[in-house]
Amino acid sequence: MKGGSFLATTPFVLMQTVSPLPYMSVPRRKLIRALNAITAAKKNGRNTSTSYRLHLTDLGSGDGELVLAAAENGWRSTGVELNPTLWAISSFRRFRLPQEARMRCSLVLGDMWGQDISHSDAVMIFGVKPIMADIVGKINREAREGTYVLSYRFPLPTQTASSPQRFYTESFYDHVEMRVYRNSIDNVSNFVIDS
């Protein structure tokens, strides 16, 4: 049994040498509530007779829970994961989905910094402090206005006078550790990175 535990945990321990991000699964019910809130807001803002499907990108998709939940709820979704073990787990889980949902989602083994998010209606981040400035920079550069940013457990930092890195956003949804922000230049609430 000890050998099995060692084999099961080794990939996660080794990944800490490559990335400062720990693995943390997000409860499906929290994800679905947030996705439903975004879907309702998007439907209110556009012609609902079109066949347009919302697109979500999960930067650091872990076991794929959000990507799979989004696909099962009608979204197109892309998950990007650096850890090959978690990517393999999520890929296996993807093949267990009904074909229609499976066709709406894709999983990429790779680095989130190279993933284009300009086409996404929503982006999931895992906002730990060591990389928050880089994540905010990526969102500011690539995300279009109106993109929703989901964050579990870690709220986006509030404004401080010492930091020049600003994330122009408004709080959209905050329920039991799941937060969603809307990228907005017109309605500016400045979120910046604590130094």
Side-chain angles (χ1 to χ4, degrees), residues 35 38-39 42 46 51-58 66-79 94 97 100-107 115-124 144 150:
L35 291 174
I38 294 169
T39 300
K42 284 287 199 175
R46 65 171 163 68
S51 61
Y52 176 77
R53 288 201 184 272
L54 297 174
H55 185 266
L56 171 116
T57 301
D58 189 349
L66 176 58
V67 176
L68 304 176
E72 288 179 311
N73 284 278
W75 289 61
R76 290 177 304 120
S77 57
T78 303
R94 178 181 173 263
L97 290 177
E100 186 178 326
R102 189 170 55 241
M103 300 306 289
R104 285 194 295 266
C105 68
S106 62
L107 298 159
Q115 182 68 34
D116 178 24
I117 61 172
S118 62
H119 61 283
S120 299
D121 296 291
V123 177
M124 175 71 176
R144 61 182 184 245
L150 294 83

Side-chain angles (χ1 to χ4, degrees), residues 57 59 80 111-123 125 134-149 165-167 183 185:
T57 301
L59 300 176
V80 183
D111 193 337
M112 68 180 174
W113 305 114
Q115 182 68 34
D116 178 24
I117 61 172
S118 62
H119 61 283
S120 299
D121 296 291
V123 177
I125 62 169
D134 293 331
I135 288 174
V136 168
K138 180 174 182 64
I139 292 167
N140 282 342
R141 281 188 312 276
E142 297 179 23
R144 61 182 184 245
E145 185 172 352
T147 299
Y148 291 86
V149 179
Q165 181 69 323
R166 294 177 180 221
F167 180 36
N183 189 21
I185 295 169

Side-chain angles (χ1 to χ4, degrees), residues 71-90:
E72 288 179 311
N73 284 278
W75 289 61
R76 290 177 304 120
S77 57
T78 303
V80 183
E81 179 54 51
L82 186 60
N83 182 324
T85 303
L86 289 171
W87 175 82
I89 290 168
S90 59

Side-chain angles (χ1 to χ4, degrees), residues 12 16 19-25 60 86 126 128 154:
F12 299 99
Q16 292 303 302
S19 172
L21 299 178
Y23 164 68
M24 179 185 295
S25 185
L86 289 171
F126 189 76
V128 294
F154 299 97

Side-chain angles (χ1 to χ4, degrees), residues 90-195:
S90 59
S91 295
F92 174 75
R93 293 180 69 204
R94 178 181 173 263
F95 283 107
R96 296 178 61 203
L97 290 177
Q99 183 176 3
E100 186 178 326
R102 189 170 55 241
M103 300 306 289
R104 285 194 295 266
C105 68
S106 62
L107 298 159
V108 177
L109 176 60
D111 193 337
M112 68 180 174
W113 305 114
Q115 182 68 34
D116 178 24
I117 61 172
S118 62
H119 61 283
S120 299
D121 296 291
V123 177
M124 175 71 176
I125 62 169
F126 189 76
V128 294
K129 198 167 186 172
I131 63 164
M132 186 60 89
D134 293 331
I135 288 174
V136 168
K138 180 174 182 64
I139 292 167
N140 282 342
R141 281 188 312 276
E142 297 179 23
R144 61 182 184 245
E145 185 172 352
T147 299
Y148 291 86
V149 179
L150 294 83
S151 179
Y152 180 63
R153 285 238 167 125
F154 299 97
L156 293 177
T158 55
Q159 185 174 7
T160 64
S162 63
S163 179
Q165 181 69 323
R166 294 177 180 221
F167 180 36
Y168 299 107
T169 185
E170 58 187 336
S171 181
F172 170 74
Y173 175 93
D174 189 345
H175 184 73
V176 193
E177 299 182 321
M178 176 56 78
R179 293 167 183 87
V180 180
Y181 305 88
R182 185 175 174 276
N183 189 21
S184 174
I185 295 169
D186 293 336
N187 188 358
V188 175
S189 301
N190 295 327
F191 284 81
V192 296
I193 307 311
D194 293 325
S195 298

